[in-house]
Amino acid sequence: MRTRGFRSFRGSSGSGRSGGSGRRTRPAVAVALLAAGAAVLAGGGPVGAAPAAVHRTKQDQQEQQEQADGCDVTKSVPPSTDDGPAVKAIKARRSLVIGVDQNSYRWGARNPNTGQIEGFDIDLARAIGAAVMGDPEKVVLKPVATADRIDAIKKGRVDLIVRTMTINCKRMEDVAFSKPYFNITQRVLVPTASPAKNIDDAVKDQRVCAAAGSTALTVVTEKKTARQVVTVENQLDCLVLMQLGKVDATMTDNGLAAGQAAQDQTVRIVDGEAQPEVVGVAMLKDSTDLTARVNQVLADYYARGDWARSYEHWLKPYMLNEADRYWPGTR
């Protein structure tokens, strides 16, 4: 994948700011980062890491989420190539800052060989950056923690978030979203020795981990069956806690769950999934022209086959081999 021409902050992967060390220096985190590095160096994980299939149509998934949320999560402004005030201000500043993940294997993770952040979301972030700015040297990829995504946008630390961010009604009150670019559901990981067969088994009377500010945390909290809900700043920290025996299960979306199962052969995904959702690019609510520009990039990205190529490269071996299942398309 293309690595030159895009700058990235190397700061704390949990803080979302450059240059800090923060909580990510603890030894537990090093365990997972070493596992991630080994997985990247190995060049891939087993096909058996793919989640079990639960067949739903794209429209069924979207309608179920709309019914639960009470809003149309696919609604966004029409695509446009016009440069409005938000895009012009970014170009005048000569820097587009995109908030990304550097902890999620195959989605957004730092390659120890190159030092570059890479993955499915990173391919999309770079495509957006190149289209908006025209010059890759003017694009900055900045790691942002799960819990810090909305704050980072509202406080101007980033212009966009491309980080497996679920679109829902509550978040739509705070930030604007592009059209969806991926269908997901919530899944549960457990250690391979766990007797749990499904989500209910894995959660009931167990210590369950989820990232703060994530949809997974809302889902597991609303179940009200866990003995303890443990929150962490980034979803990779849940894998560390499972490795150390401090939690019994992790809830996260199916893409991230598949990445963790591929990254660590001592965990597996249980049967069943919860709350069909869609993922989008987030930005300031009043940046309507930027939203329209991102929607144009998404339309072009899919039409050129770039979405499919990125999916084939990063995700197909670890998820259901049905690309149509994951592209939300239009309605």
Side-chain angles (χ1 to χ4, degrees), residues 80-91 287-290 292-293:
S80 174
T81 58
D82 294 341
D83 287 356
V87 174
K88 288 178 179 177
I90 290 169
K91 288 185 173 181
S287 298
T288 308
D289 61 300
L290 179 59
R293 191 75 181 87

Side-chain angles (χ1 to χ4, degrees), residues 43-194:
V47 174
V54 178
H55 294 288
R56 292 194 184 98
T57 67
K58 290 180 288 185
Q59 186 167 342
D60 285 342
Q61 288 181 314
Q62 291 169 358
E63 286 177 351
Q64 285 180 37
Q65 186 180 350
E66 287 168 24
Q67 184 177 4
D69 285 350
C71 69
D72 183 355
V73 295
T74 68
K75 186 177 181 180
S76 187
V77 300
S80 174
T81 58
D82 294 341
D83 287 356
V87 174
K88 288 178 179 177
I90 290 169
K91 288 185 173 181
R93 195 181 65 214
R94 302 180 62 81
S95 177
L96 174 68
V97 183
I98 304 179
V100 297
D101 196 353
Q102 67 170 6
N103 293 312
S104 296
Y105 184 50
R106 313 303 282 186
W107 286 85
R110 196 175 291 281
N111 186 324
N113 288 329
T114 64
Q116 297 292 320
I117 305 174
E118 59 186 24
F120 182 84
D121 273 345
I122 306 306
D123 283 356
L124 176 58
R126 287 174 171 157
I128 293 170
V132 172
M133 301 302 291
D135 181 355
E137 292 293 339
K138 297 177 182 178
V139 179
V140 177
L141 302 181
K142 183 174 184 178
V144 174
T146 306
D148 198 33
R149 290 175 297 188
I150 289 177
D151 238 18
I153 293 170
K154 294 176 77 171
K155 293 181 178 178
R157 295 198 296 272
V158 301
D159 300 302
L160 303 169
I161 291 285
V162 184
R163 196 189 184 286
T164 56
M165 190 165 178
T166 302
I167 307 173
N168 60 40
C169 290
K170 185 176 185 303
R171 288 174 179 167
M172 289 173 76
E173 293 175 359
D174 292 319
V175 296
F177 281 98
S178 68
K179 296 288 288 185
Y181 68 86
F182 211 87
N183 288 325
I184 61 170
T185 57
Q186 295 300 312
R187 303 298 300 264
V188 174
L189 290 126
V190 296
T192 52
S194 169

Side-chain angles (χ1 to χ4, degrees), residues 190-221:
V190 296
T192 52
S194 169
K197 296 180 179 179
N198 53 49
I199 288 179
D200 289 340
D201 290 346
V203 171
K204 187 176 180 181
D205 298 325
Q206 302 299 313
R207 300 166 299 173
V208 184
C209 186
S214 68
T215 303
L217 179 60
T218 301
V219 172
V220 72
T221 301

Side-chain angles (χ1 to χ4, degrees), residues 215-294:
T215 303
L217 179 60
T218 301
V219 172
V220 72
T221 301
E222 288 179 351
K223 278 184 169 293
K224 299 181 179 179
T225 59
R227 170 159 56 97
Q228 180 185 6
V229 177
V230 178
T231 59
V232 294
E233 192 170 61
N234 278 300
Q235 55 89 25
L236 184 64
D237 295 338
C238 287
L239 179 60
V240 174
L241 294 180
M242 279 204 299
Q243 290 168 339
L244 297 175
K246 295 183 180 295
V247 298
D248 306 302
T250 292
M251 181 169 279
T252 188
D253 70 63
N254 57 347
L256 298 178
Q260 287 194 20
Q263 178 177 326
D264 186 344
Q265 304 298 296
T266 69
V267 302
R268 63 181 175 86
I269 303 171
V270 300
D271 289 341
E273 54 189 357
Q275 193 161 327
E277 300 157 342
V278 289
V279 168
V281 179
M283 62 216 86
L284 282 173
K285 289 192 73 171
D286 60 1
S287 298
T288 308
D289 61 300
L290 179 59
T291 309
R293 191 75 181 87
V294 171

